[in-house]
Amino acid sequence: MQVSYHGHSIVKIQTNGKTILIDPFIRGNGLTDLKVEEEKPDVILLTHGHNDHVGDTIELAKANNSLVVAPNELAGYLGKQGLNVHPMGIGGAYEFPFGKVKYTLAFHGSVYETENEVINAGNPGGILFFAEGLTIYHAGDTALFGDMKLIGDRNTIDVAFLPIGDNFTMGPEDAAYAVELLKPKTVVPIHYNTFPIIKQDPSTFAELVKDSEVQILNPGEEVKF
Ligand code: NI
Ligand code: MN
């Protein structure tokens, strides 16, 4: 399995012959190395409906006939736009041919905004992804919450992607505490420095983490297993 980070909350997973993009916010993402025209995702996984996560999903999915896995209400909206969708809810898991996906809690908001409408995108989530004997956790946008201990107790997380940008999500101190609850082997900070309001020095986070390896990835870099 190859897992790479592409700025803000974008994670790319290549496994079982498939390319999976999580939260493909490419246009308007000043940090990303990706280009919409060059990406060919078989699958798009969405944590929640905010535009900095849904991003270019509609264009990418139409161009590549991608399967879009999303929280139920968001999947309903995207299905009406003609996309091939698979709706899921918090706590639910589903075994896809490319791997297993399970939605976790996230404490955050979730609306999707178009030029004319504000769409209720349901509950925001985090994503556990299981394939090739590895467990990846993408927390989405979230506050620190105590049930991260449940997630950590019930899963052996190889890599956790956690937001550290503060303001809209956990900041470095809360994210470091989340690492204690989740007990991942490796943690990768995400959702920072995309905009001035979420500016952070990821080394501050790295210094606060005690028992897990921190990998600070530049956009385009792969997780080292
Ligand atoms: Ni958000
Ligand atoms: Mn966000």
Side-chain angles (χ1 to χ4, degrees), residues 8-9 48 50 52-53 108 141 191:
H8 202 56
S9 291
H48 67 292
H50 284 157
D52 62 316
H53 296 258
H108 192 63
D141 282 357
H191 208 271

Side-chain angles (χ1 to χ4, degrees), residues 102-182:
K102 183 170 185 176
Y103 273 80
T104 70
L105 288 181
F107 281 78
H108 192 63
S110 188
V111 296
Y112 179 66
E113 298 180 52
T114 69
E115 273 172 39
N116 316 309
E117 290 178 284
V118 175
I119 290 130
N120 173 11
N123 285 316
I127 291 171
L128 283 161
F129 180 72
F130 310 86
E132 298 182 47
L134 294 170
T135 300
I136 313 292
Y137 174 56
H138 188 300
D141 282 357
T142 187
L144 171 66
F145 56 92
D147 284 2
M148 283 179 174
K149 182 173 187 304
L150 284 181
I151 298 171
D153 285 351
R154 293 176 57 76
N155 300 278
T156 303
I157 299 170
D158 293 284
V159 187
F161 291 92
L162 302 183
I164 66 156
D166 222 338
N167 193 77
F168 298 114
T169 68
M170 299 188 282
E173 292 83 8
D174 280 2
Y177 194 86
V179 175
E180 292 184 34
L181 302 180
L182 293 161

Side-chain angles (χ1 to χ4, degrees), residues 6 10-13 19-24 26 34 39-46 60:
H6 299 277
I10 307 176
V11 172
K12 185 188 286 190
I13 299 173
T19 299
I20 299 160
L21 280 178
I22 304 179
D23 288 356
I26 298 173
L34 302 183
E39 292 310 302
K40 311 248 175 290
D42 299 289
V43 180
I44 296 171
L45 304 180
L46 298 177
L60 284 166

